[in-house]
Structures are given as C-alpha cells and as structure tokens.
Amino acid sequence: MIELNGIYKLKRIKGFSDDDTCNYKVLKISKDERFVCCEMLDGYDAGERFVFLKECLIDPDKPDDIYFGELVEAKN
C-alpha cells in the first residue's frame, strides 16, 4: 500500500535502459488517490519534486510488480 510519507522506488519500463533507481518520499496524495507528489531523496536531482500516477511506484505489498509499461518502436 502506498502511503503518505512512505519511501518508494519507481517501477521500470520494459525496453527503456535508463531506469530510475532513486528513492522518492510521498509528500501528498490527491483526493481521488490517483496521483502522488513526491520528493526525490537521492541522485542528481535530490530535493526536486515530481508528480506521478500512484501506480508508478513499487508497492511493498506487491514487490514483484516492478514494471509500469513497455516501449514499442514504430516502424516507418
């Protein structure tokens, strides 16, 4: 369960080699609980704040659910 003040990592995107391994602290959760405002705790942009869909964070209750999507290349 994703909670206020919890610290989480972002899920990965299949096919994207620059996966983010930083920790994010949840500062706010939207009223409809779809979005979270997070502060990056480490890495190059530590201290920056971001908004993510709640489902982009790895839920400790589902530690094997680490992928959010997959990149697909369009062929011309």
Side-chain angles (χ1 to χ4, degrees), residues 4 11 14-15 18-19 38-39 56 66-67 69-70 75-76:
L4 196 61
K11 290 183 179 179
K14 290 181 182 178
D18 293 337
D19 289 327
C38 298
E39 180 178 353
C56 291
I66 61 169
Y67 291 104
E70 184 173 358
K75 296 186 180 193
N76 295 328

Side-chain angles (χ1 to χ4, degrees), residues 7-54:
I7 297 173
Y8 307 96
K9 292 192 179 296
L10 290 177
K11 290 183 179 179
R12 298 181 180 130
I13 298 174
K14 290 181 182 178
F16 190 65
S17 62
D18 293 337
D19 289 327
D20 187 322
T21 59
C22 297
N23 293 299
Y24 292 86
K25 180 177 181 178
V26 175
L27 303 175
K28 296 180 183 183
I29 299 176
S30 66
K31 286 183 183 181
D32 62 5
E33 297 191 10
R34 290 187 60 216
F35 300 94
V36 289
C37 174
C38 298
E39 180 178 353
M40 182 184 276
L41 298 178
D42 45 24
Y44 181 76
D45 291 326
E48 291 289 322
R49 293 184 178 183
F50 301 89
V51 174
F52 302 111
L53 285 168
K54 194 174 181 181

